Amino acid sequence: MAHDPITQSVLALLREKDPQVAEHIAQEARRQATTIELIASENHVSAAVMHTMGTCLTNKYAEGYPGARYYGGCVHHDAIESLAIERAKQMFGCRFANVQPHSGAQANQAAMMAMMEPGDAFCSLVLKDGGHLSHGMKINFSGRFFRPFHYPLHYAKDHPEHERIDYDAVRRVCMEVRPRMLLCGYSAYPRVIDFARFRQIADECGAILMADVAHIAGLIVAGVHPSPFPHAHVVTTTTHKTLRGPRGGLILCNDEEIAKKIDKAVFPGAQGGPLMHVIAAKAVAFGECLSPGFKAYGKQVLKNASALASALASCGYRCTTGGTDNHLMLVDLRTRSEHLSGADAEKWLESAGIVCNKNGIPDDPRPPRVTSGVRLGTPAVTTRGLREEHMGMIAAWIDRVLSAGLANDGSIGDVAAAVRREVSALCEQFPLPA
Ligand code: DSN
């Protein structure tokens, strides 16, 4: 059963008009309601955000920007997009925002197109160390049309900063390459990013500093992670992770010339018609982010992540870098058993109602479809209302499932079913936002 009345009425309509799709949506609603979501990049939006996306705004073409559209009939769309822009600027304390990118990768594409020429060099962290595919993966636009050079982490096990960004090496690589752009911000990095240090390096080598804060944007808005402003020239983010909005992207900056280039790079450079129903939902989500409750949410996300990392450590699991400062942790499963892979852990945990993703750990000897780690995050469980005391329960369930898998060569039917019942009972006590 769906958790909110509007989804229920949509399902009632679809059961008549398209029972096949209705059935899949109903099952997905049930899956989300009864499982624990630990994927660090996912969240549960409010009913207000969710249903704004299902409005008549989807019917409209609005190519262009507020006050300068290529279609008639955009008066309400102008007002909505302007509201989203104003709220985005207020959230990050910056002067310019483009709310049209359809996704984080498209925000990155537009930002790179705005700030670089094809063939220009940029420096970033490689995907396997915690970066992102749009940060220079060979088959991605960022690796095909630009020249990525990657800076390292501290890989030496005995280094006190093991698996953290090696800022001296970032400087070294940048001074050697002299990139057009220096890119920071990551998808699987559990520590605070020193934006001021990155800006120093960027200034020294003559690069533009871009920060992709997709993962930590909500933490920045909540004031529990330092802001990339005033250090970064360009900031990109998704809107659906810690910002708890609809799936989409956002680009921010403080410089009028850069803002003009970004607007051109988004439309007509990379995209056509904006998704106005999603932009309206962004405005609603940004309004929620600006409410006083959001700061408390951000603080609790961090407390929960720290509690989960500690509880896992007491079960014998090492988190990379020794823990976390933010909403996520990378669990090195080899410290529990050499035979435990991320792929197995993801599969076994899902069968017990705990959803996460396999993830390479720095210097991982296993390939990306197998991996030696899982990435866990607390944004979604915190939205549900879970607190530190529940993180111990989750760690114990994780250990019970993985231990059973190891002991029984992956045959964990009974244990998975038992844990799933307990998980479901906890989820029932903490329903999704309605
Ligand atoms: N795929 C996202 C993540 O899971 O981190 C990044 O775009």
Side-chain angles (χ1 to χ4, degrees):
M1 178 54 78
H3 59 280
D4 69 285
I6 300 183
T7 301
Q8 282 175 29
S9 72
V10 171
L11 283 175
L13 177 70
L14 277 181
R15 278 198 184 99
E16 203 182 298
K17 303 278 180 199
D18 193 332
Q20 275 178 298
V21 173
E23 184 52 27
H24 292 305
I25 295 176
Q27 285 188 20
E28 173 59 9
R30 185 172 159 68
R31 185 192 72 80
Q32 291 186 19
T34 59
T35 58
I36 286 178
E37 183 54 74
L38 292 177
I39 292 179
S41 49
E42 295 188 8
N43 214 327
H44 302 290
V45 298
S46 68
V49 169
M50 190 171 340
H51 297 302
T52 302
M53 286 182 278
T55 58
C56 59
L57 298 173
T58 196
N59 292 336
K60 190 77 192 89
Y61 254 121
E63 284 181 18
Y65 289 102
R69 304 282 188 186
Y70 288 84
Y71 292 83
C74 287
V75 56
H76 306 299
H77 299 266
D78 282 2
I80 287 167
E81 186 168 345
S82 300
L83 197 56
I85 289 169
E86 285 313 309
R87 290 180 180 175
K89 285 166 19 183
Q90 200 184 334
M91 279 193 312
F92 287 89
C94 65
R95 291 182 59 214
F96 301 97
N98 186 308
V99 297
Q100 291 195 4
H102 300 332
S103 71
Q106 284 197 267
N108 286 346
Q109 183 184 347
M112 286 182 177
M113 278 171 53
M115 307 317 301
M116 293 194 281
E117 291 301 321
D120 276 353
F122 70 100
C123 290
S124 64
L125 188 67
V126 71
L127 176 63
K128 72 177 182 53
D129 279 350
H132 187 252
L133 54 94
S134 63
H135 296 184
M137 190 188 192
K138 267 201 177 77
I139 55 169
N140 183 262
F141 76 89
S142 55
R144 290 188 63 191
F145 302 118
F146 304 106
R147 284 184 302 126
F149 292 83
H150 297 301
Y151 50 76
L153 302 171
H154 285 289
Y155 300 116
K157 283 201 171 65
D158 55 352
H159 196 284
E161 300 275 291
H162 180 214
E163 295 163 330
R164 296 183 191 221
I165 293 161
D166 181 345
Y167 289 93
D168 291 335
V170 175
R171 183 182 173 278
R172 228 174 13 252
V173 172
C174 285
M175 293 308 283
E176 221 174 272
V177 173
R178 298 275 172 178
R180 180 85 186 108
M181 175 183 274
L182 171 57
L183 173 51
C184 61
Y186 314 103
S187 285
Y189 186 70
R191 295 297 177 177
V192 164
I193 300 167
D194 188 343
F195 294 115
R197 185 100 186 258
F198 270 110
R199 175 59 186 262
Q200 237 174 18
I201 298 168
D203 282 349
E204 214 181 331
C205 68
I208 279 161
L209 180 61
M210 169 167 153
D212 173 352
V213 299
H215 263 262
I216 54 172
L219 308 181
I220 292 163
V221 172
V224 296
H225 188 290
S227 173
F229 291 114
H231 312 293
H233 297 96
V234 186
V235 175
T236 60
T237 181
T238 52
T239 49
H240 49 272
K241 297 184 175 96
T242 44
L243 283 179
R244 217 160 50 179
R247 305 196 75 76
L250 170 65
I251 309 178
L252 305 149
C253 69
N254 266 329
D255 181 288
E256 195 166 358
E257 287 313 304
I258 292 180
K260 280 184 196 157
K261 285 184 186 168
I262 283 169
D263 283 354
K264 268 194 201 143
V266 173
F267 172 82
Q271 296 184 174
L275 309 176
M276 291 311 301
H277 54 308
V278 177
I279 288 174
K282 287 177 186 175
V284 173
F286 297 166
E288 292 175 358
C289 289
L290 289 166
S291 73
F294 197 74
K295 280 195 179 2
Y297 167 69
K299 277 188 193 148
Q300 192 60 44
V301 167
L302 257 55
K303 282 187 194 163
N304 284 350
S306 168
L308 183 57
S310 303
L312 286 166
S314 46
C315 299
Y317 297 86
R318 184 186 83 90
C319 287
T320 64
T321 75
T324 178
D325 296 331
N326 60 22
H327 63 299
L328 69 80
M329 65 217 70
L330 268 182
V331 186
D332 181 354
L333 298 165
R334 296 171 308 175
T335 52
R336 183 64 183 74
S337 163
E338 277 299 326
H339 303 292
L340 188 53
S341 73
D344 280 339
E346 178 190 302
K347 189 172 65 190
W348 298 343
L349 290 170
E350 184 170 353
S351 69
I354 297 171
V355 186
C356 66
N357 65 282
K358 59 184 164 295
N359 210 104
I361 53 169
D363 236 353
D364 200 325
R366 291 185 167 113
R369 283 183 196 274
V370 185
T371 80
S372 301
V374 286
R375 184 185 65 166
L376 307 179
T378 54
V381 288
T382 307
T383 293
R384 241 192 143 118
L386 301 192
R387 303 181 68 84
E388 292 98 306
E389 59 270 27
H390 306 111
M391 299 303 119
M393 292 166 70
I394 293 176
W397 283 327
I398 289 174
D399 188 41
R400 206 162 121 204
V401 171
L402 299 186
S403 300
L406 282 167
N408 301 296
D409 213 13
S411 305
I412 53 162
D414 291 348
V415 174
V419 170
R420 206 187 156 108
R421 275 194 297 277
E422 291 172 35
V423 163
S424 195
L426 181 69
C427 289
E428 214 166 298
Q429 283 176 50
F430 293 90
L432 296 178

